[in-house]
Amino acid sequence: MSGVRPFPRKTTAAIAAVGIFGLCAARKASLRNETFAESPKPCGGPRGLERRGGPGGRMGFHTMRLESSIQVNDNTKRLRFQLPDPASNAGLSLTSFILTFHKPRDAWFPVIRPYTPINDSDEPGYIELLVKKYPNGRASGYLHSLQPGDTLNIRGPMPSYKWKANEFEHVNLIAGGAGITPMYQLIQGMLNNPDDRSKIKLIFGVNTEKDLVMKKELDAFEQKFPDRLKVVYRVSDPVEGSQFAKGRVTKELLEKELLGPKDSKTTKVFLCGPPAMEAAIFGNKGWISSQKGALGELGYAADRIHKF
């Protein structure tokens, strides 16, 4: 495709030099509630990166051109980027993410953030991101400013949780706000695989009804696979007469809705949401004090839970 090419050598070297710094920055940003919807990795990045798949047929740095930008609500956009090779797919595995790069004029280092693509990984030619714009969000603000024809520098795809079909009989997904993106990637990949028979329960909590992004797609999957997918919604501040239950994702809700025996290796829980929500559900450990989360109180062992 004309006009889309790998990074210039100097740009690649510069980004590689700050790779570890950038991954640390991405994780810190998530703790500031800027990119909690994505998959921040520990400093140094994930292990075992495989040099296969990915835009252009291999993992590395790439430049993608924005094909379309669709406003989903007042602060969220769907951004569809063309791959360098329109005949190739993105090489996305279940589950994986990409890192986006841009360098503000007043910054010493590039802004690096993780995002989870939401497109069908088998469809060739593009990657699609769902991006929520945060107040003072340097990455999300930049991505929202892009117009069709503009380009974005990325690295990826990079593996996150390595999903194996039928490894678990019962799969529980707990998402808060834009944390739906890795959950939707997993739902899509599982249900589109005719050999995968795992049953899925998604518990999706948001502040307002406009934040129920991907609901149309979730409804379609639920109707197509009624014996495999069930979605439970909770809205903190619904409009009067809303069809959605008012409330948050609480211990009581989890106890009522989660699938499968909590003490069995056939059950797995995935979690992605704002830091406060994750702390309440999963708990956290600090130097001074620790907080036990709702899942722990319900009897779920830490190895039964994965946080994106």
Side-chain angles (χ1 to χ4, degrees):
M1 188 176 74
S2 61
V4 180
R5 57 188 184 278
F7 286 2
R9 184 174 299 175
K10 291 183 179 179
T11 304
T12 302
I15 293 176
V18 298
I20 294 178
F21 171 86
L23 288 169
C24 294
R27 188 182 188 191
K28 291 179 180 178
S30 72
L31 298 178
R32 294 196 303 269
N33 204 27
E34 182 175 331
T35 59
F36 65 80
E38 310 309 328
S39 308
K41 298 287 109 181
C43 294
R47 297 180 180 178
L49 298 183
E50 298 175 342
R51 296 191 59 82
R52 59 181 174 83
R58 64 184 180 86
M59 181 174 292
F61 296 104
H62 305 276
T63 299
M64 303 190 302
R65 189 176 302 280
L66 181 63
E67 177 182 296
S68 63
S69 174
I70 299 175
Q71 195 79 40
V72 176
N73 58 29
D74 62 326
N75 59 19
T76 304
K77 285 185 175 183
R78 292 180 70 140
L79 303 175
R80 181 180 170 118
F81 294 91
Q82 299 169 334
L83 296 178
D85 180 359
S88 71
N89 62 33
L92 298 170
S93 60
L94 284 184
T95 57
S96 56
F97 65 100
I98 64 169
L99 292 176
T100 66
F101 296 78
H102 84 278
K103 188 176 182 302
R105 293 181 179 179
D106 60 346
W108 283 90
F109 298 102
V111 175
I112 307 173
R113 294 291 186 271
Y115 285 95
T116 304
I118 59 171
N119 55 286
D120 186 339
S121 61
D122 292 331
E123 293 185 11
Y126 73 96
I127 281 180
E128 189 170 9
L129 304 179
L130 184 75
V131 180
K132 179 177 180 179
K133 183 180 180 180
Y134 296 93
N136 302 316
R138 292 187 297 168
S140 59
Y142 174 76
L143 289 172
H144 271 236
S145 74
L146 296 177
Q147 301 297 316
D150 292 342
T151 58
L152 175 68
N153 297 327
I154 72 158
R155 179 171 183 177
M158 307 181 77
S160 181
Y161 182 88
K162 189 173 183 179
W163 174 257
K164 298 178 182 178
N166 303 310
E167 183 177 4
F168 307 106
E169 181 178 352
H170 304 100
V171 178
N172 296 286
L173 311 177
I174 306 171
I180 190 63
T181 55
M183 305 306 185
Y184 182 74
Q185 186 190 77
L186 189 52
I187 289 171
Q188 184 174 235
M190 292 172 63
L191 296 181
N192 284 337
N193 181 358
D195 296 325
D196 199 325
R197 298 179 298 276
S198 301
K199 296 185 182 299
I200 310 167
K201 173 71 74 72
L202 169 65
I203 300 175
F204 188 12
V206 295
N207 291 325
T208 64
E209 290 180 39
K210 69 177 178 61
D211 299 315
L212 289 173
V213 293
M214 308 301 298
K215 185 179 183 302
K216 180 179 178 180
E217 291 81 358
L218 291 170
D219 287 347
F221 273 127
E222 196 171 17
Q223 291 172 11
K224 186 176 180 180
F225 301 95
D227 58 333
R228 291 195 56 204
L229 174 65
K230 174 64 178 176
V231 183
V232 176
Y233 297 100
R234 282 297 182 273
V235 180
S236 297
D237 188 21
V239 298
E240 185 175 353
S242 172
Q243 63 174 309
F244 301 105
K246 180 178 181 178
R248 298 180 180 275
V249 180
T250 62
K251 175 183 174 181
E252 291 72 25
L253 178 67
L254 297 176
E255 185 174 26
K256 175 184 176 182
E257 296 289 351
L258 292 181
L259 294 176
K262 64 187 69 175
D263 56 350
S264 171
K265 291 185 178 180
T266 64
T267 301
K268 188 71 173 182
V269 181
F270 293 86
L271 172 64
C272 187
M277 174 186 177
E278 290 191 353
I281 294 174
F282 183 77
N284 57 31
K285 295 181 179 180
W287 291 102
I288 300 176
S289 63
S290 298
Q291 172 186 346
K292 191 173 184 178
L295 289 173
E297 293 175 354
L298 290 173
Y300 290 87
D303 64 355
R304 297 292 90 208
I305 307 164
H306 177 79
K307 288 198 303 177
F308 282 108

